Amino acid sequence: MLKEVDELLQGSRRALARLLTKVENHEADIALAELFPHTGKAWVIGITGSPGTGKSSLVNALAQAYRIHGKTVAIVAVDPTSPFTGGAILGDRIRMRDLSGDSGVFIRSMATRGSLGGLARTTRDAVRVLDAAGYDIVLVETVGAGQSEVEIVRIANTTLVIEAPGLGDDVQAIKAGILEIADILVVNKADRIGANQTVRALKNMLELGHSTKQDHAVAHHGRMMVVQASENNAPDEYWLPPVLQTVAIENTGIPELLDAIDQHRTYRTKTGLASSIEVRTIEDELVQRLRETLLERFMNDLDPQRMQMLIQQIQQRHIDPQSAIQQLITQNNTSIVKD
Ligand SMILES: Nc1nc2c(ncn2[C@@H]2O[C@H](COP(=O)(O)OP(=O)(O)OP(=O)(O)O)[C@@H](O)[C@H]2O)c(=O)[nH]1
Ligand SMILES: [Mg+2]
């Protein structure tokens, strides 16, 4: 066993920090393989939503609440939109200062390098390291409402989508995709005007979505497909996401949020249901890793000049992009299947 893996399993925070850096640099494959048997115990909570809705404040409040319940907490902040690792993270650090000095809490910001897919992989691996390190709860904060969040959020066992008042009846303001991934909706800043209206708008949207869930479309490997609701899907196997109100900066609504997360956990771990979700999650991860690994290998073997030439040819309309890809693949073919 690697020395640092051993140290991490013994509870060394330094080994943990070092391993997370290696994960970011994609240099932790052996360690991850050794750690894998020690994972699967943490409950991973994803927190996503538009900028400034109060995600970090909620993460802070949740972490404190879990600490009071005697649970250890790891926090991962991911910011795929920011090209820097400075600003936003420094802000988060300051907001989370209430937690510093507590050995039952570990906070980490993920550096944003590489592709979107790479970020999802890095985050997933980081969560695994924290899981193996023995944290009971792992909170993953991501900003925004795009595809990247959907990918990152797939790592979570329970996903919270945070909204703030001001949404009004403008249903368009709510990205449909974000509702799809929400296990629990939180209207934070409930001390502000319009919170009830936002709650109502969200509930309406959820119920609309729910009634059409008989035949609902799901994204699978990037393709939309219609899934028939099966006959033996007992009604209690549906999870209708609750809509809760919180005031993160005053700790209002936090116990109720903890309860809702607990209920979702019970629902997810029910026999059968948990394993079917797990099968899909593992399949998704394998496809994602396969795609990345093959692309990486392909790009490494690719002659950059060949690529430049094809780009020029496409520009001049001498060849179309798909035919160019066919040419590249035929030329690189042998290198893809080797080793
Ligand atoms: N009035 C009010 N302000 C809040 C509440 N929660 C957070 N805030 C404030 O809203 C601002 C943004 O909060 P953050 O927790 O940084 O929000 P965030 O979603 O993490 O922001 P980004 O990570 O930048 O997207 C801060 O000034 C908070 O103090 C709340 O419940 N009520
Ligand atoms: Mg934040």
Side-chain angles (χ1 to χ4, degrees):
M1 189 184 281
L2 291 176
K3 187 163 159 279
E4 56 195 349
V5 169
D6 190 42
E7 286 171 359
L8 175 120
L9 293 173
Q10 306 291 328
S12 158
R13 284 170 83 95
R14 275 191 57 204
L16 174 56
R18 240 181 293 132
L19 263 176
L20 288 172
T21 303
K22 288 195 174 168
V23 163
E24 283 177 330
N25 296 329
H26 291 190
E27 287 166 355
D29 284 1
I30 296 167
L32 284 163
E34 288 185 354
L35 285 173
F36 192 68
H38 300 275
T39 63
K41 290 177 218 118
W43 196 252
V44 184
I45 303 170
I47 296 105
T48 191
S50 309
T53 45
K55 297 176 295 296
S56 300
S57 308
L58 265 175
V59 164
N60 196 29
L62 280 172
Q64 288 183 40
Y66 277 119
R67 290 301 294 136
I68 290 167
H69 283 85
K71 307 253 191 232
T72 54
V73 182
I75 298 169
V76 185
V78 187
D79 184 359
T81 53
S82 166
F84 310 106
T85 51
I89 283 143
L90 192 65
D92 283 341
R93 281 268 160 78
I94 290 164
R95 242 162 266 138
M96 289 171 185
R97 69 176 167 243
D98 308 352
L99 299 167
S100 65
D102 178 350
S103 65
V105 176
F106 188 91
I107 304 174
R108 179 74 178 212
S109 305
M110 297 310 289
T112 59
R113 58 179 80 101
S115 64
L116 232 49
L119 188 62
R121 171 178 155 194
T122 307
T123 308
R124 193 194 298 274
D125 289 341
V127 166
R128 285 219 172 108
V129 172
L130 293 162
D131 184 353
Y135 290 95
D136 301 314
I137 304 286
V138 181
L139 301 167
V140 184
E141 177 188 341
T142 64
V143 76
Q147 183 57 33
S148 54
E149 292 69 42
V150 175
E151 291 225 327
I152 290 163
V153 135
R154 279 213 192 108
I155 298 159
N157 300 120
T158 299
T159 299
L160 315 183
V161 173
I162 317 302
E163 298 281 354
L167 202 62
D169 290 324
D170 186 7
V171 169
Q172 296 291 39
I174 315 166
K175 296 242 167 63
I178 212 90
L179 285 186
E180 282 286 311
I181 60 167
D183 296 312
I184 298 168
L185 278 147
V186 179
V187 177
N188 187 44
K189 305 196 183 182
D191 52 325
R192 295 224 176 134
I193 274 174
N196 288 332
Q197 209 182 348
T198 306
V199 169
R200 229 176 303 129
L202 287 171
K203 280 189 173 159
N204 283 341
M205 273 211 73
L206 281 172
E207 271 151 29
L208 268 177
H210 195 62
S211 60
T212 56
K213 272 233 168 87
Q214 308 302 24
D215 277 337
H216 70 293
V218 293
H220 194 69
H221 304 158
R223 249 171 267 169
M224 291 304 280
M225 55 201 282
V226 172
V227 174
Q228 308 262 322
S230 76
E231 290 289 311
N232 52 18
N233 252 354
D236 68 343
E237 284 202 4
Y238 278 122
W239 173 263
L240 183 63
V243 185
L244 304 181
Q245 297 192 41
T246 57
V247 184
I249 46 170
E250 289 167 11
N251 277 325
T252 309
I254 304 302
E256 290 80 2
L257 180 54
L258 243 62
D259 274 353
I261 295 169
D262 249 21
Q263 279 167 29
H264 182 254
R265 184 174 186 162
T266 308
Y267 160 81
R268 274 286 295 258
T269 40
K270 261 193 223 157
T271 338
L273 186 67
S275 67
S276 71
I277 293 176
E278 213 170 275
V279 166
R280 214 185 57 211
T281 311
I282 294 172
E283 195 190 337
D284 278 349
E285 179 178 352
L286 287 183
V287 171
Q288 193 186 65
R289 282 187 194 274
L290 184 65
R291 192 190 293 137
E292 263 176 51
T293 309
L294 286 179
L295 182 64
E296 220 172 77
R297 205 176 274 188
F298 190 88
M299 294 307 273
N300 283 342
D301 290 342
L302 188 64
D303 174 6
Q305 276 186 351
R306 178 86 196 106
M307 183 77 148
Q308 285 310 315
M309 253 171 59
L310 280 169
I311 290 172
Q312 266 183 22
Q313 287 176 11
I314 294 169
Q315 237 179 347
Q316 293 159 356
R317 298 291 185 278
H318 291 161
I319 189 171
D320 68 285
Q322 186 59 31
S323 304
I325 291 299
Q326 284 304 337
Q327 273 196 23
L328 280 180
I329 286 179
T330 326
Q331 274 166 4
N332 262 34
N333 208 348
T334 43
S335 51
I336 275 206
V337 281
K338 80 164 183 233
D339 69 46

